[in-house]
Amino acid sequence: MNIVRFIKNWTLPISMIIGVVLYFVYSALSLPAEVRNIASHTVTVLQPLLIFTMLLLTFCKVDVRQLKPCRWHVTLLLIQSLAFVGMATVLYLFPSISWRILVEGAMLCLICPTATAAAVVTHKLGGNAAHLTSYIVMINIVTAILVPFTLPVIHPQEGMTFMTSFLMISVKVFPLLLCPFIMAVILRSLAPKVHAFIGRYHGVSFYLWAVALTLAIAITVKSIVHSDVSVWYQTGLAAVSLVSCILQFYVGKKAGRPYNDDISAGQALGQKNTVLAIWMGYTFFTPVTSVAMGFYSVWHNVFNSYQLYRQRKLEEEQ
């Protein structure tokens, strides 16, 4: 029982360690190319499947009528948008600055949408999962519009129009957001017993996230290990992502406090969809900037582990 309790209490750190170990074990094995291709394809399919299932469980627990804007949503959307545009303006005015890569890394950390799994952590911490879920939808829409509008100015790419970029991001994001939501609404209307049954097991989403986190950390380690960025730039990007992570959790909590919603707002701004951001770094930014989001994946999960530890201690004292 002690082992089971230990695993339940430290699920996230254990998942992160397993992700690191799995990557290095996988790299050390002399596997045929066919097996590696199958493994890569399996991860590609499994990640969105886990995210879809987590969101369906969350949407079946949350009353869809509660998914509406609140005041701190506007504050956080403005913070993310203005910070991103402000840094893009700096790069436009000073295109040859030596620390351009670090600025791009910060831009990626700031504009990256909230992780879909943030609703799971928010619920665990006692926050409002409905408010968080509403923000996830809004920030993904803002990102899908703002990135294609802004980056062609500082990162022109042949054949990359606004519509092309918008569709690329939308195809990556919205099916995973909308399909679980639509399915939950349909089940609520047509099969309420099934809807209620699924909703009762929403706690499983935390452990599904643990599996998704293991895969995400393995991918993160791969992106860092195989990066051709110098050690100094990697150190700089790690520092930039750490500062960005600390600031965003702090500012998010500060923005939500007047509305008694600091947990939800903190997770909304601080917990990021790092897998999407790594892809955006490779696709729209200078590819090495994706390293920043690799490190961010570590920082925000370490902080989430700490928050869950504190929450557990508070519950034990009550």
Side-chain angles (χ1 to χ4, degrees):
M1 287 298 294
N2 288 336
I3 295 175
V4 174
R5 188 182 301 113
F6 176 82
I7 293 172
K8 288 178 69 175
N9 289 343
W10 299 99
T11 301
L12 300 194
I14 291 170
S15 298
M16 294 173 70
I17 292 169
I18 291 174
V20 173
V21 172
L22 276 180
Y23 170 73
F24 284 111
V25 169
Y26 174 78
S27 299
L29 295 175
S30 301
L31 298 174
E34 294 82 2
V35 175
R36 291 187 179 274
N37 289 336
I38 292 172
S40 178
H41 179 70
T42 300
V43 171
T44 303
V45 172
L46 188 57
Q47 271 196 318
L49 182 61
L50 288 168
I51 292 171
F52 178 92
T53 307
M54 284 189 294
L55 284 178
L56 179 61
L57 287 166
T58 301
F59 286 139
C60 284
K61 177 63 178 178
V62 172
D63 186 348
V64 293
R65 290 170 294 185
Q66 297 176 349
L67 299 179
K68 54 187 178 182
C70 54
R71 290 183 179 179
W72 63 259
H73 287 163
V74 178
T75 304
L76 297 196
L77 289 172
L78 286 173
I79 289 170
Q80 288 194 251
S81 302
L82 293 177
F84 179 75
V85 172
M87 290 187 175
T89 303
V90 170
L91 293 184
Y92 176 73
L93 296 175
F94 306 100
S96 302
I97 54 175
S98 56
W99 31 276
R100 180 185 180 95
I101 297 296
L102 301 183
V103 176
E104 289 189 18
M107 289 173 65
L108 197 55
C109 291
L110 290 166
I111 197 59
C112 178
T114 308
T116 49
V120 178
V121 182
T122 300
H123 178 75
K124 276 277 185 181
L125 294 174
N128 191 314
H131 289 175
L132 189 282
T133 304
S134 300
Y135 188 78
I136 290 174
V137 175
M138 286 186 278
I139 188 56
N140 274 282
I141 293 171
V142 169
T143 301
I145 294 172
L146 199 57
V147 170
F149 260 127
T150 306
L151 287 186
V153 179
I154 61 171
H155 251 301
Q157 297 183 44
E158 187 176 348
M160 191 70 78
T161 63
F162 167 78
M163 188 53 66
T164 303
S165 304
F166 174 77
L167 289 175
M168 287 176 69
I169 297 174
S170 298
V171 166
K172 276 276 184 181
V173 170
F174 289 112
L176 277 181
L177 283 176
L178 295 179
C179 291
F181 175 77
I182 292 170
M183 183 174 289
V185 172
I186 292 173
L187 287 174
R188 179 185 287 270
S189 300
L190 302 182
K193 290 184 178 180
V194 175
H195 182 274
F197 176 80
I198 294 173
R200 283 200 298 270
Y201 292 94
H202 69 278
V204 176
S205 58
F206 179 74
Y207 300 101
L208 293 177
W209 177 46
V211 177
L213 176 59
T214 299
L215 297 177
I217 291 295
I219 293 170
T220 295
V221 173
K222 178 182 178 181
S223 71
I224 293 172
V225 170
H226 288 274
S227 172
D228 56 0
V229 187
S230 69
V231 174
W232 292 110
Y233 263 124
Q234 287 207 31
T235 303
L237 289 168
V240 164
S241 64
L242 177 59
V243 171
S244 299
C245 183
I246 293 171
L247 282 176
Q248 289 185 100
F249 271 110
Y250 173 78
V251 172
K253 288 178 180 295
K254 193 93 170 174
R257 194 161 292 133
Y259 310 104
N260 197 29
D261 210 5
D262 56 312
I263 293 172
S264 309
Q267 295 307 122
L269 196 58
Q271 189 173 344
K272 301 292 188 180
N273 186 346
T274 53
V275 174
L276 173 67
I278 289 171
W279 171 79
M280 285 200 301
Y282 277 116
T283 307
F284 302 107
F285 292 74
T286 305
V288 298
T289 56
S290 60
V291 173
M293 291 312 301
F295 284 110
Y296 197 104
S297 178
V298 176
W299 307 142
H300 78 168
N301 282 302
V302 167
F303 185 67
N304 279 335
S305 299
Y306 170 69
Q307 290 190 106
L308 290 167
Y309 166 77
R310 284 187 59 192
Q311 180 68 16
R312 188 169 66 251
K313 285 294 183 183
L314 288 172
E315 290 172 355
E316 288 173 357
E317 290 171 2
Q318 292 175 354

